[in-house]
């Protein structure tokens, strides 16, 4: 991601952020690198002409947390 970003004058963090929030320059650079149209990678953000249709962030997946103490854990090995 850092190398793709440098090619278009963007920081690595901006490039990574582009997977969560639409950023035209970053998303376009990623799409061109992969050889895939914007709307195929991010159909929720871009139309077939590559125009932004939504600024809505990608929702985070729901993570089910395991309560502490619910399963036995193995003791950690100490370094020699």
């Amino acid at each position: 991601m850092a190398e793709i970003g440098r090619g278009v004058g963007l920081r690595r963090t901006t490039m990574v952020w582009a997977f969560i929030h639409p950023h035209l320059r970053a998303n376009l650079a990623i799409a061109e690198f992969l050889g895939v149209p914007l709307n195929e990678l991010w159909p929720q953000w871009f139309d077939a002409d590559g125009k932004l249709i939504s600024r809505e962030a990608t929702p985070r997946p729901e993570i089910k947390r395991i309560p502490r103490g619910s399963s036995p854990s193995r003791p950690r090995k100490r370094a020699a």
Side-chain angles (χ1 to χ4, degrees):
M1 295 314 309
E3 187 176 331
I4 297 169
R6 279 192 296 271
V8 293
L10 296 172
R11 295 180 1 203
R12 180 188 59 84
T13 53
T14 303
M15 298 301 292
V16 173
W17 194 247
F19 286 102
I20 301 166
H21 291 278
H23 187 288
L24 184 57
R25 278 181 41 208
N27 294 124
L28 188 57
I30 294 165
E32 286 178 356
F33 178 81
L34 295 173
V36 178
L38 278 172
N39 67 313
E40 285 187 29
L41 289 176
W42 296 284
Q44 72 277 22
W45 295 337
F46 299 100
D47 67 10
D49 296 325
K51 296 195 191 288
L52 185 65
I53 56 175
S54 173
R55 292 189 184 277
E56 190 80 21
T58 300
R60 289 184 174 183
E62 186 176 323
I63 298 172
K64 293 185 179 183
R65 305 236 181 240
I66 299 172
R68 289 183 176 251
S70 64
S71 64
S73 61
R74 289 188 253 166
R76 292 184 180 176
K77 293 182 180 178
R78 290 185 176 224

